[in-house]
mmCIF file of all heavy atoms in Angstrom:
data_model
loop_
_atom_site.group_PDB
_atom_site.id
_atom_site.type_symbol
_atom_site.label_atom_id
_atom_site.label_comp_id
_atom_site.label_asym_id
_atom_site.label_seq_id
_atom_site.Cartn_x
_atom_site.Cartn_y
_atom_site.Cartn_z
ATOM 1 N N TRP A 16 81.460 74.481 43.048
ATOM 2 C CA TRP A 16 82.202 73.338 42.701
ATOM 3 C C TRP A 16 81.427 72.225 42.260
ATOM 4 O O TRP A 16 81.887 71.425 41.335
ATOM 5 C CB TRP A 16 83.069 72.910 43.936
ATOM 6 C CG TRP A 16 82.265 72.414 45.018
ATOM 7 C CD1 TRP A 16 81.664 73.078 46.141
ATOM 8 C CD2 TRP A 16 82.010 71.052 45.227
ATOM 9 N NE1 TRP A 16 81.093 72.200 46.904
ATOM 10 C CE2 TRP A 16 81.253 70.928 46.457
ATOM 11 C CE3 TRP A 16 82.202 69.824 44.561
ATOM 12 C CZ2 TRP A 16 80.665 69.768 46.940
ATOM 13 C CZ3 TRP A 16 81.727 68.657 45.095
ATOM 14 C CH2 TRP A 16 81.036 68.568 46.260
ATOM 15 N N GLN A 17 80.236 72.079 42.735
ATOM 16 C CA GLN A 17 79.400 70.953 42.273
ATOM 17 C C GLN A 17 78.878 71.236 40.900
ATOM 18 O O GLN A 17 78.909 70.459 40.004
ATOM 19 C CB GLN A 17 78.155 70.797 43.265
ATOM 20 C CG GLN A 17 78.490 70.396 44.615
ATOM 21 C CD GLN A 17 77.405 70.364 45.607
ATOM 22 O OE1 GLN A 17 76.446 71.192 45.422
ATOM 23 N NE2 GLN A 17 77.320 69.509 46.612
ATOM 24 N N TRP A 18 78.415 72.470 40.669
ATOM 25 C CA TRP A 18 77.996 72.789 39.309
ATOM 26 C C TRP A 18 79.164 72.682 38.265
ATOM 27 O O TRP A 18 78.947 72.294 37.165
ATOM 28 C CB TRP A 18 77.418 74.222 39.252
ATOM 29 C CG TRP A 18 76.063 74.297 39.843
ATOM 30 C CD1 TRP A 18 75.660 74.758 41.002
ATOM 31 C CD2 TRP A 18 74.844 73.933 39.083
ATOM 32 N NE1 TRP A 18 74.362 74.625 41.072
ATOM 33 C CE2 TRP A 18 73.760 74.119 39.986
ATOM 34 C CE3 TRP A 18 74.581 73.365 37.868
ATOM 35 C CZ2 TRP A 18 72.424 73.818 39.582
ATOM 36 C CZ3 TRP A 18 73.359 73.073 37.501
ATOM 37 C CH2 TRP A 18 72.314 73.317 38.341
ATOM 38 N N SER A 19 80.376 73.123 38.702
ATOM 39 C CA SER A 19 81.526 73.009 37.847
ATOM 40 C C SER A 19 81.758 71.574 37.398
ATOM 41 O O SER A 19 81.995 71.297 36.251
ATOM 42 C CB SER A 19 82.707 73.562 38.532
ATOM 43 O OG SER A 19 82.532 74.940 38.925
ATOM 44 N N THR A 20 81.736 70.668 38.315
ATOM 45 C CA THR A 20 81.912 69.314 38.068
ATOM 46 C C THR A 20 80.822 68.741 37.097
ATOM 47 O O THR A 20 81.162 68.141 36.134
ATOM 48 C CB THR A 20 81.882 68.438 39.302
ATOM 49 O OG1 THR A 20 82.884 68.955 40.210
ATOM 50 C CG2 THR A 20 82.142 67.002 39.018
ATOM 51 N N VAL A 21 79.569 69.061 37.336
ATOM 52 C CA VAL A 21 78.554 68.631 36.388
ATOM 53 C C VAL A 21 78.660 69.144 35.044
ATOM 54 O O VAL A 21 78.548 68.450 34.017
ATOM 55 C CB VAL A 21 77.184 69.104 36.925
ATOM 56 C CG1 VAL A 21 76.049 68.838 35.947
ATOM 57 C CG2 VAL A 21 76.854 68.377 38.292
ATOM 58 N N VAL A 22 79.023 70.503 34.932
ATOM 59 C CA VAL A 22 79.150 71.054 33.566
ATOM 60 C C VAL A 22 80.415 70.569 32.798
ATOM 61 O O VAL A 22 80.367 70.239 31.615
ATOM 62 C CB VAL A 22 79.166 72.628 33.688
ATOM 63 C CG1 VAL A 22 79.494 73.263 32.341
ATOM 64 C CG2 VAL A 22 77.758 73.165 34.154
ATOM 65 N N CYS A 23 81.438 70.452 33.553
ATOM 66 C CA CYS A 23 82.775 69.849 32.979
ATOM 67 C C CYS A 23 82.464 68.544 32.381
ATOM 68 O O CYS A 23 82.740 68.220 31.205
ATOM 69 C CB CYS A 23 83.891 69.868 33.942
ATOM 70 S SG CYS A 23 84.605 71.309 34.327
ATOM 71 N N PHE A 24 81.657 67.680 33.151
ATOM 72 C CA PHE A 24 81.293 66.344 32.716
ATOM 73 C C PHE A 24 80.345 66.431 31.452
ATOM 74 O O PHE A 24 80.605 65.653 30.464
ATOM 75 C CB PHE A 24 80.591 65.471 33.762
ATOM 76 C CG PHE A 24 80.146 64.205 33.400
ATOM 77 C CD1 PHE A 24 81.045 63.186 33.311
ATOM 78 C CD2 PHE A 24 78.806 64.053 33.026
ATOM 79 C CE1 PHE A 24 80.554 61.929 32.919
ATOM 80 C CE2 PHE A 24 78.314 62.778 32.641
ATOM 81 C CZ PHE A 24 79.235 61.631 32.581
ATOM 82 N N THR A 25 79.428 67.371 31.438
ATOM 83 C CA THR A 25 78.545 67.486 30.361
ATOM 84 C C THR A 25 79.225 67.928 29.125
ATOM 85 O O THR A 25 79.015 67.416 27.995
ATOM 86 C CB THR A 25 77.441 68.536 30.756
ATOM 87 O OG1 THR A 25 76.731 68.120 31.859
ATOM 88 C CG2 THR A 25 76.483 68.732 29.586
ATOM 89 N N VAL A 26 80.236 68.914 29.170
ATOM 90 C CA VAL A 26 80.875 69.476 28.041
ATOM 91 C C VAL A 26 81.742 68.366 27.453
ATOM 92 O O VAL A 26 81.716 68.146 26.212
ATOM 93 C CB VAL A 26 81.741 70.633 28.481
ATOM 94 C CG1 VAL A 26 82.681 71.053 27.323
ATOM 95 C CG2 VAL A 26 80.883 71.845 28.767
ATOM 96 N N TRP A 27 82.511 67.646 28.292
ATOM 97 C CA TRP A 27 83.353 66.627 27.657
ATOM 98 C C TRP A 27 82.681 65.394 27.176
ATOM 99 O O TRP A 27 83.017 64.663 26.297
ATOM 100 C CB TRP A 27 84.432 66.213 28.642
ATOM 101 C CG TRP A 27 85.374 67.495 28.823
ATOM 102 C CD1 TRP A 27 85.490 68.203 30.008
ATOM 103 C CD2 TRP A 27 86.209 68.193 27.831
ATOM 104 N NE1 TRP A 27 86.354 69.178 29.797
ATOM 105 C CE2 TRP A 27 86.776 69.286 28.503
ATOM 106 C CE3 TRP A 27 86.387 67.845 26.535
ATOM 107 C CZ2 TRP A 27 87.652 70.088 27.806
ATOM 108 C CZ3 TRP A 27 87.294 68.685 25.835
ATOM 109 C CH2 TRP A 27 87.850 69.775 26.549
ATOM 110 N N THR A 28 81.414 65.080 27.762
ATOM 111 C CA THR A 28 80.546 64.061 27.249
ATOM 112 C C THR A 28 80.057 64.457 25.859
ATOM 113 O O THR A 28 80.041 63.634 24.992
ATOM 114 C CB THR A 28 79.368 63.842 28.219
ATOM 115 O OG1 THR A 28 79.916 63.447 29.445
ATOM 116 C CG2 THR A 28 78.430 62.700 27.583
ATOM 117 N N PHE A 29 79.794 65.838 25.697
ATOM 118 C CA PHE A 29 79.434 66.304 24.406
ATOM 119 C C PHE A 29 80.471 66.064 23.413
ATOM 120 O O PHE A 29 80.291 65.639 22.252
ATOM 121 C CB PHE A 29 79.062 67.795 24.537
ATOM 122 C CG PHE A 29 78.935 68.467 23.272
ATOM 123 C CD1 PHE A 29 77.692 68.421 22.520
ATOM 124 C CD2 PHE A 29 79.959 69.244 22.657
ATOM 125 C CE1 PHE A 29 77.531 69.016 21.327
ATOM 126 C CE2 PHE A 29 79.630 69.985 21.462
ATOM 127 C CZ PHE A 29 78.558 69.824 20.845
#
Side-chain angles (χ1 to χ4, degrees):
W16 67 271
Q17 295 173 329
W18 281 105
S19 302
T20 302
V21 172
V22 173
C23 286
F24 177 79
T25 301
V26 169
W27 293 115
T28 300
F29 171 78

